[in-house]
Amino acid sequence: MHEVSDELWNEFHRVVNMTSRELSEWLRTRPAGEDSEELPEDAFTGKGRQVLEILGKRRRDLTGEDIRTMRQVVRMVHDERREDLAPKAGEAHWRHRLMAVGHDPLKPA
């Protein structure tokens, strides 16, 4: 059993503002779109799927890999958004990159 801090648990669930269903649908449909641009390989095949798995787990069932993924996702969203997670429009590829790990910058907090 791996312990995840309250701070990381809460921040991960704050920055991942898409539901499991929304993220799952996004990961399934996004690559099939005719106007899809290339995204980092790990966004869809790795990180996005890992985030989806984490969302389906109880806190006490997290693995060390899950905790590393949570840290990476929080860091990525903070690098892109800083602390302010208010709805914000941006270029489509920027939004899509964030959505690939469960954060929709247009979704109200």
Side-chain angles (χ1 to χ4, degrees):
M1 180 169 100
H2 293 84
E3 287 292 321
V4 60
S5 70
D6 290 342
E7 181 181 354
L8 177 59
W9 176 260
N10 293 333
E11 190 58 13
F12 176 80
H13 288 286
R14 182 175 88 100
V15 302
V16 175
N17 64 359
M18 294 171 70
T19 65
S20 296
R21 183 178 192 164
E22 290 168 333
L23 180 56
S24 177
E25 289 174 2
W26 174 255
L27 293 174
R28 272 197 317 272
T29 60
R30 178 66 190 131
E34 64 182 61
D35 66 338
S36 47
E37 69 266 357
E38 288 296 314
L39 294 175
E41 180 65 24
D42 69 337
F44 285 178
T45 60
K47 293 289 179 261
R49 301 241 181 263
Q50 290 173 333
V51 168
L52 194 56
E53 289 176 16
I54 291 167
L55 292 175
K57 290 184 177 185
R58 295 176 297 191
R59 185 174 177 169
R60 67 177 181 236
D61 295 332
L62 295 173
T63 66
E65 181 63 28
D66 293 333
I67 293 169
R68 279 188 292 281
T69 296
M70 291 170 71
R71 285 188 189 114
Q72 290 169 348
V73 168
V74 167
R75 192 174 322 117
M76 177 190 171
V77 173
H78 280 280
D79 286 349
E80 297 284 338
R81 298 291 317 270
R82 304 293 176 232
E83 296 295 321
D84 180 19
L85 297 183
K88 174 183 173 184
E91 293 185 29
H93 69 277
W94 174 76
R95 180 180 183 219
H96 296 166
R97 184 173 59 248
L98 288 168
M99 288 176 70
V101 294
H103 178 79
D104 184 350
L106 296 181
K107 189 173 184 179

